[in-house]
Amino acid sequence: MGGAKGKTYMGWWGHMGGPTQRGVVTYSLSAFEQKPFAGALHNAIFNTARRVASQIPYVGAAFGIGYLIYTTAKTKHAYLTSKAGHAEAEGH
């Protein structure tokens, strides 16, 4: 039948010895016409600022609650280790 028999060299990819392909159009740009990083720094700065600004309410609320808990606990600890705090603890 047809085809290669054994270890017969058929050709490299794209050059297999068959008829040339027709009706395929390819387009390309010169390396000097491409600008792969056009505006990348500008977009990165403003996109990062927009994303950080959109997270401020969530992070700010969590930080505010954490700070409130911290200051309340610190104040209560200072009171309980003071003379008045000791007197109150002995009173009950």
Side-chain angles (χ1 to χ4, degrees), residues 1 6 24 65 82 87:
M1 300 274 202
V24 177
I65 291 169
S82 68

Side-chain angles (χ1 to χ4, degrees), residues 12-68:
W12 194 242
W13 291 106
H15 304 286
M16 295 295 223
T20 58
Q21 192 171 10
R22 298 174 51 137
V24 177
V25 180
T26 58
Y27 298 95
S28 64
L29 282 175
S30 165
F32 297 105
E33 294 181 38
Q34 297 179 16
K35 294 181 181 176
F37 292 107
L41 185 61
H42 178 269
N43 292 338
I45 291 170
F46 287 104
N47 190 38
T48 301
R50 178 188 59 80
R51 292 175 71 173
V52 167
S54 71
Q55 294 297 315
I56 286 176
Y58 305 108
V59 175
F63 180 78
I65 291 169
Y67 185 74
L68 179 68

Side-chain angles (χ1 to χ4, degrees), residues 1-6 8 10:
M1 300 274 202
K5 295 183 171 85
T8 305
M10 291 181 57

Side-chain angles (χ1 to χ4, degrees), residues 61-78:
F63 180 78
I65 291 169
Y67 185 74
L68 179 68
I69 292 170
Y70 171 75
T71 55
T72 304
K74 189 173 177 183
T75 305
K76 184 164 178 126
H77 179 263

